């Protein structure tokens, strides 16, 4: 079994370069098949989630060339095959092939997606959007067939500003006849990045980044070159690590506006930050003030940083609270944080953290991707050695995590036990 072994309480300094955004890349790769020509996407992180999407592309007979940070995708000979359940289950983002294949071929057959078990995560809003565009959805057990004679632009109101549904509807609508308007659309930077990619191919998407997105259908999409934005969640994770053990730890290749909710919370805690145009330097303060956070859609505090941020709250003076409003089950890391020595209780959707507490290394489990990030964060401040199992969850989302942390002075290594 592969584990991560971390010996904590080292001071970290130097620079960590943030990779391309996972949650943008995992939508851009399926979106590339909408093009009728070859596209190049650069700054794609080498993580197992992007590998899994490339495997799906291969199954669809799409030609891919992968260099270290870029992927060239040529769908000219692709075939609209059924995507096997094993691949759908590998990750959440397999569902972007629903919108992309529906948009391109007017038919898609695939299964319910996989991904972290952090709540029910239904796809009803995606399907409602496809139906509004004129598709019929047949659901037999776990298999979905979504098809349409013709896709026609429509006005779609999302009951919740879902990231996945907003992107999937955009993918299905770019080649539909007429105009589609998505209201109460999600506003995350990843959505803007996908819309920019589609527009570089010749699509007509306006308003991405606001709650109303307007898409005028076009019949042909050409090749283009596109760059993935920096990963705001990876950046945020390292900023939190810097707040805990940084001595002028520079987080490089960052878009500061994308991490403002975190920046202001760190400042409230008393963390010293130097914010540059594309970097943030973080230094651990002597003491941290307790605070409360409530996760919400962008530009609110991101749910994906809630778990690592909770580790920081274990070091704050007094009582802090974390309210999770996006997922029903994103507190699985708490039991392991308490095993490490924290004092946290969870009631309904709120965790109450009493601090400061000394953490001591032990055996813990990465129950999901960001829970795994919180285990790494906790292990870096714990006394002694921590062993983290189920690390495949972490590898799905953090490129070269071990190498990046080692380069700034952490003692962390992959081990086979
Ligand atoms: N929801 C519905 N119906 C739908 C779609 C969503 O009820 O049809 C609910 C979900 O169950 C959830 C909430 O709406 O409770 C938010 O879901 P959303 O669709 O916004 O999220 P997602 O597309 O499933 C993406 C990221 C997540 C990130 C969220 C929120 C990808 C592949 N995943 O998920 O990333 O937490 O947006 O920002 O982009 C992660 O990186 O660790 C991660 C989980």
């Amino acid at each position: 079994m592969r584990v991560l072994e971390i010996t904590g309480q080292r001071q970290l300094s130097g620079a960590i370069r943030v990779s391309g955004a996972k949650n943008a890349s995992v939508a851009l790769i399926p979106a590339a098949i909408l093009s009728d020509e070859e596209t190049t996407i650069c700054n794609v992180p080498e993580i197992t989630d992007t590998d899994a999407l490339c495997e799906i592309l291969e199954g669809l007979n799409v030609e891919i060339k992968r260099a270290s940070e870029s992927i060239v995708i040529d769908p000219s000979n692709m075939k609209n095959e059924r995507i096997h359940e094993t691949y759908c289950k590998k990750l959440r983002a397999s569902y972007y092939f629903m919108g992309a294949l529906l948009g391109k071929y007017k038919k898609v057959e695939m299964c319910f997606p996989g991904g972290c078990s952090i709540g029910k995560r239904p796809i009803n809003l995606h399907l409602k959007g496809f139906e509004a565009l004129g598709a019929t959805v047949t659901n037999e057990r776990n298999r979905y067939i979504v098809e349409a004679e013709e896709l026609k632009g429509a006005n779609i109101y999302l009951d919740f500003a879902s990231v996945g549904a907003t992107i999937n509807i955009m993918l299905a609508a770019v080649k539909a006849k007429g105009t589609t308007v998505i209201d109460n659309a999600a506003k995350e930077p990843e959505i803007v990045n996908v819309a920019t990619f589609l527009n570089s191919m010749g699509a007509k998407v306006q308003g991405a980044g606001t709650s109303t997105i307007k898409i005028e259908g076009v019949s042909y999409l050409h090749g283009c070159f596109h760059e993935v934005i920096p990963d705001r969640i990876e950046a945020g994770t390292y900023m939190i690590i810097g707040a805990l053990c940084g001595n002028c730890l520079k987080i490089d290749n960052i878009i500061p506006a994308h991490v403002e909710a975190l920046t202001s919370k760190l400042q409230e805690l008393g963390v010293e930050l130097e914010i540059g145009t594309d970097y943030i330097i973080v230094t651990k303060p002597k003491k941290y003030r307790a605070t409360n956070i409530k996760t919400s859609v962008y530009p609110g505090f991101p749910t994906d940083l809630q778990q690592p941020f909770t580790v920081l709250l274990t070091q704050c003076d007094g009582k802090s609270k974390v309210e999770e409003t996006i997922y029903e089950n994103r507190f699985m890391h708490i039991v392991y944080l308490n095993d490490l020595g924290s004092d946290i209780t969870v009631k309904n959707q709120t965790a109450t953290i009493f601090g400061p507490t000394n953490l001591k290394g032990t055996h813990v489990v990465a129950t999901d991707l960001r829970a795994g990030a919180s285990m790494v964060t906790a292990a870096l401040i714990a006394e002694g050695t921590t062993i983290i199992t189920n690390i495949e969850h972490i590898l799905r989302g953090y490129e070269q995590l071990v190498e990046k942390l080692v380069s700034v002075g952490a003692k962390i290594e992959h081990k086979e036990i």
Side-chain angles (χ1 to χ4, degrees):
M1 180 176 39
R2 232 168 139 216
V3 301
L4 278 180
E5 187 182 281
I6 303 174
T7 304
Q9 301 196 330
R10 302 242 170 160
Q11 208 178 55
L12 308 183
S13 47
I16 291 182
R17 191 178 164 76
V18 173
S19 301
K22 167 180 96 76
N23 288 345
S25 304
V26 297
L28 293 165
I29 296 171
I33 64 155
L34 280 162
S35 170
D36 298 287
E37 299 168 13
E38 182 181 282
T39 55
T40 302
I41 310 173
C42 76
N43 204 25
V44 177
E46 284 194 52
I47 48 176
T48 51
D49 266 13
T50 53
D51 293 343
L53 291 169
C54 288
E55 282 179 63
I56 295 180
L57 288 181
E58 278 164 4
L60 296 170
N61 206 39
V62 174
E63 260 179 55
I64 37 178
K65 281 181 244 142
R66 194 160 184 180
S68 64
E69 285 203 329
S70 63
I71 306 189
V72 181
I73 300 175
D74 183 357
S76 357
N77 298 316
M78 83 174 276
K79 295 188 184 120
N80 189 14
E81 305 279 357
R82 181 168 69 93
I83 302 174
H84 197 278
E85 183 165 10
T86 326
Y87 294 106
C88 299
K89 289 273 168 226
K90 275 193 179 177
L91 75 167
R92 187 80 196 150
S94 59
Y95 62 19
Y96 289 132
F97 280 103
M98 269 194 183
L101 287 168
L102 180 67
K104 183 157 182 142
Y105 295 106
K106 317 286 171 269
K107 180 170 179 179
V108 55
E109 198 176 331
M110 61 181 290
C111 298
F112 195 79
C116 292
S117 305
I118 47 180
K120 290 192 218 82
R121 309 185 83 181
I123 56 166
N124 57 312
L125 299 174
H126 304 229
L127 301 176
K128 189 179 137 189
F130 299 150
E131 283 173 337
L133 294 172
T136 53
V137 178
T138 318
N139 178 11
E140 289 162 9
R141 288 187 192 167
N142 192 28
R143 204 164 62 102
Y144 291 87
I145 301 171
V146 188
E147 55 192 329
E149 293 249 314
E150 184 178 60
L151 291 172
K152 276 197 188 147
N155 287 352
I156 301 167
Y157 174 82
L158 295 178
D159 295 335
F160 178 82
S162 152
V163 172
T166 302
I167 293 180
N168 238 340
I169 295 168
M170 271 181 358
L171 300 182
V174 279
K175 283 186 144 186
K177 259 208 173 139
T179 304
T180 298
V181 177
I182 311 174
D183 262 320
N184 197 28
K187 296 185 277 203
E188 273 68 3
E190 293 74 20
I191 289 160
V192 180
N193 202 217
V194 174
T196 307
F197 180 47
L198 294 169
N199 285 343
S200 304
M201 289 181 198
K204 292 188 174 158
V205 182
Q206 284 171 17
T210 75
S211 51
T212 303
I213 298 180
K214 191 171 160 194
I215 304 147
E216 259 177 69
V218 296
S219 55
Y220 189 87
L221 292 175
H222 52 75
C224 70
F225 177 87
H226 181 74
E227 189 170 346
V228 182
I229 50 170
D231 195 313
R232 66 194 166 96
I233 305 301
E234 188 201 12
T237 306
Y238 290 125
M239 284 166 66
I240 293 167
I241 289 174
L244 284 162
C245 21
N247 176 16
C248 291
L249 182 70
K250 185 177 189 187
I251 319 299
D252 223 345
N253 191 33
I254 214 171
I255 298 177
H258 290 176
V259 288
E260 254 172 25
L262 173 65
T263 310
S264 74
K265 277 291 159 189
L266 290 177
Q267 285 167 333
E268 202 179 307
L269 252 62
V271 178
E272 216 182 286
L273 299 174
E274 183 191 324
I275 305 175
T277 45
D278 62 350
Y279 66 86
I280 295 183
I281 299 174
V282 194
T283 295
K284 169 185 161 51
K286 284 206 175 70
K287 258 184 142 199
Y288 308 88
R289 284 185 289 271
T291 191
N292 301 329
I293 59 162
K294 181 176 178 175
T295 63
S296 66
V297 295
Y298 189 83
F301 194 95
T303 169
D304 297 341
L305 286 176
Q306 173 261 104
Q307 292 151 300
F309 196 81
T310 302
V311 179
L312 184 51
L313 295 178
T314 68
Q315 302 308 301
C316 294
D317 207 3
K319 185 166 93 178
S320 303
K321 282 186 190 275
V322 172
E323 191 185 343
E324 171 58 54
T325 73
I326 308 293
Y327 296 110
E328 308 87 2
N329 195 16
R330 216 169 197 187
F331 282 129
M332 284 187 297
H333 58 304
I334 299 295
V335 62
Y336 296 105
L337 286 183
N338 283 343
D339 284 350
L340 284 160
S342 67
D343 181 2
I344 308 175
T345 54
V346 177
K347 199 169 172 205
N348 302 324
Q349 285 305 305
T350 303
T352 307
I353 301 109
F354 302 90
T357 44
N358 290 329
L359 305 188
K360 268 199 178 147
T362 185
H363 280 64
V364 293
V365 182
T367 51
D368 57 77
L369 169 58
R370 309 299 173 188
S374 77
M375 292 302 119
V376 171
T377 308
L380 289 169
I381 55 164
E383 189 189 320
T385 302
T386 301
I387 306 281
I388 308 176
T389 54
N390 280 23
I391 60 165
E392 58 286 354
H393 287 301
I394 307 176
L395 303 180
R396 288 190 26 222
Y398 288 89
E399 185 179 48
Q400 299 204 317
L401 173 96
V402 169
E403 293 80 353
K404 288 185 184 185
L405 286 171
V406 165
S407 76
V408 292
K411 191 161 184 322
I412 167 169
E413 55 183 321
H414 284 287
K415 278 224 163 137
E416 204 62 55
I417 59 168

